Amino acid sequence: MSENYILTTENLTMRFGGVVAVDNVNFSLKEGELRCLLGPNGAGKSTFFKCLTGQLTPTSGSVKLRGQDITGWLTHDIVNQGVGIKTQVPNLFNGISVYENIRMAARRKHLKPMAREKAEEMMEKCGVTHLAKREVGLLAHGQRQLVELAMVLAEEPPLVLLDEPAAGMTGDERDRLADLVLETARKAAVIVVEHDMAFIRRIAKFTTVFNRGAIFREAMIDEIMSDRAVQEIYLGKQADVAA
Amino acid sequence: MERSIAKDVGFYVMLGIGLVLMFIGPLIWDLFQIMQITQYVVLSVYALSLAYIWGFGGILSFGQAAFFGLGAYTFAVASINMGDTTLPFVLSFILPAAFGAGLGYFMFYGRLSEVYLGVVTMVVTLIFWKLINHTAGPEYSIGDARLGGFNGIPSIPILNVPGDPSAWLDPAQMFQVFMAILIIVYVVLRLIIASDFGRVSVGIRENEERSSLLGYDIRRHKVIVFAIGSGIAGMSGAMWATYQTFIDPNAFSMEMSAKALVWVMAGGIGTLAGPILAVVLLQWLSLKLGTMHILNNYVILGGIMMILVLLLPKGLLPTFQALSLRLWTIGKSKMKERTPKGKAASDV
């Protein structure tokens, strides 16, 4: 593989008993690239995502981060290689405040005073400053998504993996999220797994479509949207509405 | 996540009470009371070992007695052989901590679930108990110390002044030394909890997956927390052994493990002061009930425990804190109501 690829998978396969959730996937992501992963429910996007993050150990094949084989590594080891992960369901410390959550993340990379500043900066960026003292467990789903994103970005990782970041968000929150993702993609490589087509159209360029555990198409978003085969397997009427 | 020490009034209150008791206690109590309260102090250190690993590390151990007993036997064997008690006392922390780290390594790196963790810790305790019970013959000796099987080890040296084995501590001095140990353990644990390491431990307790997603190795953290708790339990075992000058396999009993769980649950999981209060209250109650001969002690204590769990599920201290806060808020709002707004001084 060329060395400007930050993440690659080779023949990545994940089986659950007789079910093949991810089937021989060869995927590559360049440094600084923003890639969206699309696909209908059960296409294997999230399983593929979990194989990248170490939450699942693939049955066969490999995952390489900047050429280093990280297949089967534990999540914290992958994170410590500079990978920021936002899971499908917001994963937060519910009993403490928004600020404390983000500060804990910032503390991974910064000393105490800097971590405080970084946490405040990320709260501002993600539009959750007004919620700073609120207990995270009491927030709405969309707000929790933004807090988790702020936590991921506070660590300033060169590779950001986001699993359905727009789920449960209001229109305003989604717009802010799109701006944030685009801004992040200027400094880091980003993979976004998402269903929300309006959101996808705002951020996506080169896009990978999954179907039945395998890569179905890889092309620019406009091509994907006008691809009849893709429409048939996934987009259907949504594509017409979005167009 | 956890309050910083500077703002923790309860911490200073407990510290103050501890220091006052340490210096004033021996002046006002008779010998029996001193002996009795020394027992509470030893058991409080033991309770703190579980309060820390369960309340602040999320590790529910059903076998804290394994480390308590290990510490007690380590101290007994080493002090009988050495004469001086200082090094044996240090060993009673180090050996159980090392054993806890080893056991923890297999449990946490083996990714055992909470249920299996409970089972493993309980089984380890039972193995120790069974093993020590079968060491009755003279062949089971380590140096000059005979393990004694179910008869235990008698004539364990009383704690002496470091470097002078003939200068034994009298009961009042022993109480003061043990009280100092309790205060030190309490303060050190509070400092650990307030540190970055402690915050991460609490983070792991709250959400293991998120902690892992932040890049923290939860296995390593848990091993360290478990080893610290094991060391403290071991040290309390040594305190118990020297206080009684005797130790038997009951130090490894299920009852001993269960007591620690009861104290932490009754006092309040996630607090350090709560389990100490529970030790004092429940041990005192146990003593009183024992002298009354109304009903079996354990039946009554079991009943009290059930009532506590049903009525005060959060434990004594958190309930007391919540109640105090509520009364304070009510009092404050009533004070405000009584103060008429905008009343001129001349109207009064």
Side-chain angles (χ1 to χ4, degrees), chain A residues 55 74-76 79-80 85 87 91-93 95-96 100 103-105 107-108 112 148 151-152 155, chain B residues 1-2 111 194 196 199-200 202-204 206-219:
Chain A
Q55 289 165 295
L74 293 172
T75 304
H76 70 266
V79 170
N80 287 331
I85 302 163
T87 51
N91 218 328
L92 303 160
F93 300 115
I96 57 172
E100 273 298 320
R103 198 193 70 92
M104 259 189 96
R107 191 71 181 87
R108 284 297 290 161
K112 267 182 184 172
E148 195 183 21
M151 288 176 81
V152 172
E155 290 191 89
Chain B
M1 202 160 282
E2 294 300 323
R111 298 193 190 184
D196 280 339
R199 281 169 196 271
V200 173
V202 177
I204 290 170
E206 293 283 318
N207 189 337
E208 282 195 10
E209 196 180 359
R210 173 35 72 192
S211 302
S212 176
L213 289 168
L214 286 180
Y216 294 112
D217 185 348
I218 54 175
R219 304 163 309 169

Side-chain angles (χ1 to χ4, degrees), chain A residues 11 32 55 68 85 88 127 130 134 142 155 164 188 210 220 241:
Chain A
N11 304 321
Q55 289 165 295
Q68 186 179 17
I85 302 163
Q88 197 171 5
H130 64 292
R134 286 277 295 278
E155 290 191 89
E164 298 194 18
F210 271 74
M220 296 305 284
V241 172

